[in-house]
Amino acid sequence: MELRQLRTFEAVLTHRTVTDAANALGLAPSSVSEQIRALEASLGVPLFHRGPKGMRPTEAGERMRGWARRLLRQAEEARREVTGEQPVLRLGALESIAAAHVPGVLARLAERRPGLRVEVRSDAARDQLLDAVAAGDLEAALLLDAGEDVGGLGFTPPPAPLDFVDVEPVPLALVAAPDHPLARAPRLAAGDLRGERLLVNVPACSFWMAGERLLGSAVERVRAGSVTVMASWAEQGLGVALLPEFAVRDRLAAGTLARLAFDAPDLGLRLVWRADREAVPGMREILYAASA
């Protein structure tokens, strides 16, 4: 086995196709296929089921997943120790919360460990961040969730030993234009919103999922786009929007949006990491900084 083969193996696990793995690694697809075949030949077992929808790990491939990750991690730790290089902690965050919450985490990290290097990757897709944490490409990720387990909001996490801590609550606000008929109601229930147009992004969006749990089929869903777009459309009277309070606080204060009297439970700002990677240099510091 060679380290480059293990890196290629992990890329195929993460991206599920030879072409996507090749793009991620900067290699030709033929080179990726050749390295996987060579790794399988050295082990004497097939690691993937090959099909029209991509590559799926065999039972041997699943067993190899953990070994590949450990061997690559040990090789990287050895390189850093020998060269004296400072460890780099890679933190992912959803784009919707990166601007509002990541700066505080970074400030606490800098105070606790001034020499620790941190790279932040923001992404609009939660699945991409969780896959990167599961694959060891990120040490941890900040995202929005609810419930007792990762994915309690309604999404399916990757098959990895994920652990988490809820950093702080993220209040939600159901907002509409100030002249919306429901803006004057003293209290609203889901049934009062029947027939309303709920501005949404995509089904994987945390606020879409929160709306599904709270409103079900009572409302018509209208695709708008990002948090900013949803807030702007709501201002123009094109519908109501369920959004994080921090994203619409200025508009509420300015009176361009009204908060409807609807009780929406908070989401949790959740830091997620692999439970078997807590010993990674700097990992305990990021847990401390995030939860402080």
Side-chain angles (χ1 to χ4, degrees), residues 188-246:
L188 294 171
D192 300 319
L193 294 161
R194 189 167 301 281
E196 290 293 329
R197 293 157 56 91
L198 180 67
L199 303 171
V200 294
N201 189 352
V202 295
C205 172
S206 301
F207 312 120
W208 177 306
M209 291 182 177
E212 286 286 322
R213 298 174 71 191
L214 293 171
L215 303 175
S217 59
V219 294
E220 174 192 356
R221 283 161 179 78
V222 178
R223 293 281 185 97
S226 67
V227 168
T228 301
V229 174
M230 286 187 275
S232 296
W233 284 26
E235 279 185 343
Q236 300 302 314
L238 299 178
V240 300
L242 184 66
L243 297 171
E245 184 184 80
F246 69 78

Side-chain angles (χ1 to χ4, degrees), residues 147-165:
E148 300 296 323
D149 300 295
V150 177
L153 185 59
F155 58 88
T156 302
L162 299 177
D163 206 347
F164 71 91
V165 62

Side-chain angles (χ1 to χ4, degrees), residues 5-21:
Q5 294 170 350
L6 297 179
R7 292 190 186 97
T8 301
F9 170 74
E10 277 215 323
V12 175
L13 282 175
T14 300
H15 298 283
R16 300 184 177 87
T17 70
V18 167
T19 301
D20 289 344

Side-chain angles (χ1 to χ4, degrees), residues 69 72-73 76-77 80 87-93 109 116-121 129-142 161-164 271-287:
R69 186 170 294 116
L72 288 171
R73 184 167 67 245
E76 178 64 15
E77 290 172 0
R80 286 177 176 163
V88 178
L89 200 65
R90 299 159 300 180
L91 173 66
L109 270 172
L116 183 65
R117 294 170 55 203
V118 182
E119 293 179 358
V120 179
R121 180 196 306 174
L129 292 175
L130 286 174
D131 284 347
V133 171
D137 295 332
L138 291 174
E139 272 66 62
L142 281 165
L162 299 177
D163 206 347
F164 71 91
L271 182 74
V272 180
W273 68 93
R274 282 189 63 103
D276 56 359
R277 298 200 71 206
E278 287 188 12
V280 170
M283 187 63 198
R284 294 191 183 278
E285 278 76 7
I286 200 169
L287 297 179

